[in-house]
């Protein structure tokens, strides 16, 4: 191919959905329809034999005689072990110029975010060879398929990946209810399938719950996967930044919904925010009492999601998830304030872009971007009880002052000690700094970036200092 030729990016739709939701039925339906698109299809299954691929091949059509191209991917999940293979397959198909569109069917236990990240993933070798996927393809739409008959029961499941014979160690300890909600929340389009198998009341309840879980998604009803193809291709709905930003998700959930929906279905949400750290022992006692009579509000929460600042782990951004009956928490990342600015990104432009996204909510050191931001969704939520319970876990004013001045004594910390391994690894690499650290700049020896940073903070400092005191 002539290197001066401009390559048209191949638009891609990714189809997620829990086991048995009807993804393969939808793929069959699409491949059998007469339409004007030349579609390449990638299917994926977790077993040694690609059953889903065989089902498509055995349909009442011949893949060889149609315009579609079928690529089988087995022995792993699209978003995990086969990400590099996925990039290779998509790049090859996109560069051929033979197709108008691509559909990717993920396995039923695939997390959607890593699949999307494959479209933005690159390393030094890929840059040298010009093999970045984003040069040849663009992620157009993330679609999630829901089984209307089993959705509510799946939300209440306490099964983990290992109990479903998932051949992927990364998925073993993930509650399947959490995976199901991750797929819902990340979607641009949600297909509520098998609506013919539930009554009107159950269907309406699920529809309203889906709207609350993902207010921005378009929800389509279907029977046996039959939809208008135009609903899921060339929509241009996917935006990676919006899809992966919890803060925007929280903002959407705080918008008012029509009163009749709350009255009829009782689906509500509330958000907890604070710039004070959690007391580790008080917080641990609260979240470990999940689904007990002692703290009854947990039973009304269908979904909890967000991140926490715990005094004993001041550098770690701790993520919390509740999906159905399962509640988990784990280190998600480091707070930006804990990382030297010189290792935020590879270039000054990238660092500036990160700072632009942070500075609006940045408080003076040592707080920076540290905060509590949690969302709760459920049926007939006791909102005030939830907010009061988490408020009681925050450090008191005196505790906060002492913490900021002297740090935290971890002697009685109840959270997993092995979180410290992650911190130690980054300390050894020199990629973490203490609260007393200076802003560092590896691009501008005269310190212009540092001056810009200090100027940005100064403009907000008076207001933010009062907010910090409050």
């Amino acid at each position: 191919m002539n290197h001066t030729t401009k390559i048209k990016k191949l638009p891609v739709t990714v189809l997620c959905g829990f086991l048995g939701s009807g993804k393969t039925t939808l793929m069959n339906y699409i491949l059998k329809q007469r339409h004007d698109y030349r579609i390449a299809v990638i299917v994926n299954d977790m077993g040694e034999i690609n059953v889903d691929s065989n089902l498509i091949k055995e349909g009442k059509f011949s893949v060889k005689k149609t315009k579609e191209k079928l690529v089988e991917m087995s022995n792993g999940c699209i978003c995990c072990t086969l990400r590099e293979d996925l990039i290779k397959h998509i790049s090859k198909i996109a560069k051929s110029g033979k197709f108008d569109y691509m559909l990717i069917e993920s396995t039923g236990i695939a997390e959607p975010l890593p699949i999307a990240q494959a479209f933005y993933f690159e390393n030094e070798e890929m840059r040298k060879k010009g093999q970045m996927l984003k040069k040849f393809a663009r992620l157009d739409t993330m679609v999630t398929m829901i089984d209307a008959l089993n959705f509510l029961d799946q939300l209440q499941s306490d099964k983990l990946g290992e109990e479903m014979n998932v051949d992927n160690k990364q998925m073993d300890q993930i509650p399947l209810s959490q995976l199901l909600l991750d797929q819902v929340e990340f979607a641009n389009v949600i297909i509520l399938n098998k609506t013919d198998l539930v009554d009107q009341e159950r269907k309406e309840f699920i529809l309203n719950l889906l709207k609350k879980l993902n207010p921005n998604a378009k929800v389509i009803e279907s029977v046996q996967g039959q939809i208008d193809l135009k609903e899921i291709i060339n929509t241009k709905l996917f935006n990676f930044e919006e899809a992966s930003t919890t803060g925007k998700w929280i903002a959407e959930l705080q918008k008012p919904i029509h009163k009749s929906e709350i009255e009829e279905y009782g689906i509500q949400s509330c958000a907890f925010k604070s710039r004070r750290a959690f007391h580790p022992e008080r917080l641990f006692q609260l979240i470990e009492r999940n689904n007990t009579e002692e703290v009854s509000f947990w039973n009304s929460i269908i979904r909890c999601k967000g991140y926490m600042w715990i005094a004993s782990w001041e550098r770690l951004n701790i993520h919390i998830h509740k999906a159905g009956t399962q509640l988990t928490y784990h280190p998600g990342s480091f707070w930006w304030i804990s990382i030297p600015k010189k290792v935020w990104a590879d270039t000054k432009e990238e660092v500036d872009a990160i700072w632009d996204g942070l500075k609006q909510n940045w408080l003076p050191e040592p707080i920076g971007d540290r905060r509590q931001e949690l969302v709760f969704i459920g049926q007939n939520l006791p909102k005030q009880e939830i907010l009061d319970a988490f408020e009681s876990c925050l450090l008191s004013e005196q505790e906060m002052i002492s913490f900021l001045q002297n740090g935290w004594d971890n002697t009685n910390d109840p959270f997993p000690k092995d979180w410290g391994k992650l911190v130690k690894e980054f300390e050894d690499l020199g990629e973490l700094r203490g609260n007393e650290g200076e802003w560092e700049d590896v691009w501008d020896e005269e310190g212009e970036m540092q001056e810009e940073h200090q100027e940005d903070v100064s403009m907000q400092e008076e207001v933010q200092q009062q907010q910090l005191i409050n």
Side-chain angles (χ1 to χ4, degrees), residues 232-272:
I232 63 170
I233 70 170
N234 272 330
T235 67
K236 297 181 174 64
L237 290 174
F238 184 79
N239 181 303
F240 185 77
E241 180 182 353
E242 291 181 0
S244 57
T245 303
T246 304
K248 294 186 178 182
W249 184 68
I250 289 175
E252 284 297 324
L253 288 173
Q254 290 182 298
K255 293 179 180 179
I257 62 172
H258 196 276
K259 186 176 179 181
S260 63
E261 292 180 2
I262 295 177
E263 290 175 347
E264 187 171 354
Y265 302 104
I267 299 171
Q268 300 168 301
S269 67
C270 64
F272 178 83

Side-chain angles (χ1 to χ4, degrees), residues 236-464:
K236 297 181 174 64
L237 290 174
F238 184 79
N239 181 303
F240 185 77
E241 180 182 353
E242 291 181 0
S244 57
T245 303
T246 304
K248 294 186 178 182
W249 184 68
I250 289 175
E252 284 297 324
L253 288 173
Q254 290 182 298
K255 293 179 180 179
I257 62 172
H258 196 276
K259 186 176 179 181
S260 63
E261 292 180 2
I262 295 177
E263 290 175 347
E264 187 171 354
Y265 302 104
I267 299 171
Q268 300 168 301
S269 67
C270 64
F272 178 83
K273 294 184 179 183
S274 178
R275 301 309 294 264
R276 277 189 285 158
F278 278 131
H279 189 291
E281 293 172 62
R282 294 199 290 266
L283 177 66
F284 186 81
Q285 290 173 3
L286 177 64
I287 61 181
E288 284 298 308
R289 293 199 298 263
N290 170 44
N291 287 335
T292 67
E293 294 181 3
E294 191 174 355
V295 185
S296 59
F297 68 73
W298 284 116
N299 296 322
S300 63
I301 296 173
I302 296 173
R303 181 58 156 158
C304 166
K305 182 178 180 181
Y307 34 82
M308 307 181 294
W309 172 26
I310 304 174
S312 54
W313 297 96
E314 60 177 348
R315 291 170 169 177
L316 292 176
N317 178 332
I318 307 300
H319 290 196
I320 183 170
H321 297 270
K322 184 178 191 290
T325 61
Q326 295 290 310
L327 188 149
T328 60
Y329 49 87
H330 57 85
S333 59
F334 291 97
W335 297 109
W336 288 104
I337 188 72
S338 300
I339 307 172
K341 205 170 186 180
K342 66 180 180 180
V343 295
W344 278 15
D346 293 332
T347 67
K348 181 180 184 299
E349 289 73 22
E350 291 173 323
V351 169
D352 289 342
I354 293 171
W355 173 243
D356 285 342
L358 292 173
K359 62 185 179 182
Q360 182 177 356
N361 295 311
W362 193 275
L363 289 181
E365 292 206 31
I367 305 259
D369 58 323
R370 296 181 174 113
R371 62 194 182 277
Q372 319 295 354
E373 207 157 279
L374 306 171
V375 166
F376 306 90
I377 299 174
Q379 191 171 16
N380 301 317
L381 285 180
K383 294 183 181 181
Q384 199 57 50
E385 184 182 350
I386 294 171
L387 299 179
D388 288 347
F390 279 87
E391 182 77 22
S392 70
C393 295
L394 295 173
L395 298 185
S396 67
E397 183 176 344
Q398 199 59 44
E399 287 172 330
M400 189 69 180
I401 292 172
S402 174
F403 166 56
L404 293 178
Q405 292 175 345
N406 308 311
W408 192 263
D409 180 1
N410 288 350
T411 305
N412 298 316
D413 179 48
F415 287 95
K417 303 300 182 187
D418 60 3
W419 289 0
K421 295 178 183 177
L422 181 63
V423 177
K424 183 67 167 59
E425 287 174 3
F426 274 72
E427 283 179 336
D428 291 343
L429 291 171
E431 295 191 351
L432 286 181
R433 68 188 186 100
N435 288 336
E436 72 285 352
E438 297 294 330
W439 287 106
E440 300 177 69
D441 175 24
V442 295
W443 299 282
D444 190 338
E445 293 181 358
E446 297 180 2
E448 291 182 8
M449 180 185 288
Q450 182 173 339
E451 291 173 7
E452 290 174 7
H453 164 73
Q454 296 296 348
E455 183 179 343
D456 285 335
V457 171
S458 297
M459 291 174 64
Q460 305 173 60
E461 189 158 348
E462 184 176 346
V463 174
Q464 291 180 333

Side-chain angles (χ1 to χ4, degrees), residues 134-150:
K134 62 184 179 183
K135 288 185 63 176
F136 309 107
R138 65 173 177 84
L139 184 52
D140 180 77
T141 316
M142 291 292 296
V143 180
T144 293
M145 206 152 190
I146 297 296
D147 177 354
L149 182 63
N150 295 303

Side-chain angles (χ1 to χ4, degrees), residues 124-141:
E124 189 61 33
E125 183 180 354
M126 294 169 68
R127 283 191 287 268
K128 286 180 180 178
K129 295 181 179 180
Q131 293 179 340
M132 295 86 73
L133 184 54
K134 62 184 179 183
K135 288 185 63 176
F136 309 107
R138 65 173 177 84
L139 184 52
D140 180 77
T141 316

